[in-house]
Amino acid sequence: MRCTDGPRVACDVHVEAAAPRVWRLVTDIRLPARLSPELRRVAWLDGADRPVVGARFEGHNRHDMLGEWRTVSHVVEVAEPRVFAWAVMDADGRFGGATVDPARAMASWRFEIEPEDDGVRLRHSAVLGPGRNGLTRAVERWPDREAEIVAFRLKELRAGMEATLRGIRELAEEGG
């Protein structure tokens, strides 16, 4: 896989809880910071306090190889209680030119909730690019290792997403 292919990763888990309960958890933008190995803190911007299309939130991340950086995400899709999606911008130009256009996002993320048996199927997915990000920076530095770099980053993201899904499942099923 190449950076220009829009590398993707997706995970899912069955959650024995009602869709509205799971929806409240996945739309709590601060929750993943408690569960993710990379995301440190998140806050709504511009007076927003819930996900609506066009709302923005700020995220602060840390990675051993990339250091620390800030992102600004734009909510791009909300279909309660089924879909919450956002595009992540490099607002400070950490990985190249600063961008505020969701069509040039560093990455696009989404949660999807579907009724299933005695609960829901919760899917978490991400697409990297088309804008510049840490992955493009690494590939530019080591172009002969692009496939290896992309595979490594997708493996890292999958591990973080799986940890987030496990945490959401535990909270939803325990009622916490």
Side-chain angles (χ1 to χ4, degrees):
M1 167 130 343
R2 298 172 46 88
C3 283
T4 56
D5 295 334
R8 302 167 184 272
V9 62
C11 311
D12 63 82
V13 65
H14 177 77
V15 181
E16 292 183 11
R21 170 80 181 134
V22 177
W23 176 258
R24 282 190 300 278
L25 292 168
V26 302
T27 58
D28 176 356
I29 62 165
R30 292 173 303 278
L31 180 60
R34 291 176 30 203
L35 307 170
S36 168
E38 194 168 296
L39 183 63
R40 299 299 184 206
R41 67 185 189 280
V42 182
W44 287 109
L45 297 172
D46 311 320
D49 63 357
R50 67 189 190 311
V52 296
V53 172
R56 298 180 332 132
F57 58 92
E58 175 181 71
H60 293 268
N61 301 277
R62 187 186 178 295
H63 185 280
D64 288 341
M65 291 186 281
L66 298 172
E68 296 183 12
W69 70 97
R70 179 181 81 106
T71 62
V72 174
S73 294
H74 296 243
V75 176
V76 295
E77 186 178 358
V78 177
E80 185 174 348
R82 298 177 295 107
V83 178
F84 173 41
W86 61 100
V88 182
M89 307 297 119
D90 185 7
D92 299 329
R94 171 76 162 80
F95 299 108
T99 181
V100 295
D101 178 5
R104 299 293 309 153
M106 292 171 53
S108 297
W109 291 79
R110 73 189 287 119
F111 282 109
E112 297 174 73
I113 301 167
E114 283 182 24
E116 179 181 80
D117 300 327
D118 56 346
V120 298
R121 174 67 43 188
L122 175 59
R123 288 185 182 86
H124 194 13
S125 61
V127 178
L128 301 179
R132 294 182 54 78
N133 53 48
L135 184 63
T136 51
R137 178 184 269 182
V139 168
E140 287 171 355
R141 187 167 181 186
W142 298 287
D144 58 319
R145 297 178 60 196
E146 182 171 15
E148 176 186 349
I149 292 166
V150 170
F152 180 81
R153 184 61 176 145
L154 293 178
K155 182 179 176 183
E156 283 184 319
L157 290 173
R158 176 179 296 282
M161 293 163 73
E162 288 173 344
T164 298
L165 289 176
R166 279 192 307 273
I168 290 169
R169 181 181 61 204
E170 289 172 12
L171 289 169
E173 292 177 354
E174 294 171 4

